[in-house]
């Protein structure tokens, strides 16, 4: 299983998966896409996700994450898509950790979304979409 490259556990019905993201996911060193959208994951976003160095897409939207966005997410040099919106208890700031990241000379994200709209729970000056 350590060779797994894509893991999509997106729920299309109601609550879906609950609890915390299992720490065992941190061992999937070749994982390129982690889609955990539309579930009921709770607790903090694990800092161990920063070990997934091949990750190009991290979709954690529409869950119940709490706390702040871990700085380790900013260490994911291959990350191009990051979706964090619709996590009512998730706060923090993306500006310093994420917005300054570049891929050579250009901003490296293709899609970056958070709750930076009217409620401004997650200030983000570089998000491509705010909710």
């Amino acid at each position: 299983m350590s060779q797994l490259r894509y893991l999509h556990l997106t729920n299309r019905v109601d609550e879906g998966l609950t609890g915390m993201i299992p720490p065992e996911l941190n061992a999937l060193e070749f994982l390129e896409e982690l889609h955990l959208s539309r579930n009921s994951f709770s607790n903090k976003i694990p800092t161990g996700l920063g070990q997934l160095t091949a990750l190009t897409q991290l979709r954690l939207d529409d869950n119940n994450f709490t706390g702040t966005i871990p700085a380790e997410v900013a260490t994911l040099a291959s990350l191009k898509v990051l979706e964090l919106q619709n996590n009512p208890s998730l706060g923090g700031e993306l500006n310093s950790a994420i917005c300054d990241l570049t891929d050579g000379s250009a901003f490296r994200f293709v899609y970056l979304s958070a709750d930076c709209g009217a409620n401004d729970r997650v200030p983000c000056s570089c998000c491509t979409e705010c909710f």
Side-chain angles (χ1 to χ4, degrees), residues 14-29:
D14 287 323
E15 293 182 11
L17 300 172
T18 61
M20 300 181 346
I21 294 177
E24 291 80 9
L25 287 181
N26 302 340
L28 300 175
E29 61 184 297

Side-chain angles (χ1 to χ4, degrees), residues 3 13 26 28 36 55 59 73 80 98 102 112 116 127:
Q3 302 289 328
V13 192
N26 302 340
L28 300 175
L36 300 176
L55 211 57
R59 297 174 191 254
V73 170
K80 300 285 186 209
I98 302 284
T102 61
L112 176 59
C116 50
C127 283

Side-chain angles (χ1 to χ4, degrees), residues 19-40:
M20 300 181 346
I21 294 177
E24 291 80 9
L25 287 181
N26 302 340
L28 300 175
E29 61 184 297
F30 298 105
L31 192 66
E32 294 176 19
E33 294 183 12
L34 180 57
H35 295 223
L36 300 176
S37 304
R38 297 182 198 103
N39 283 290
S40 292

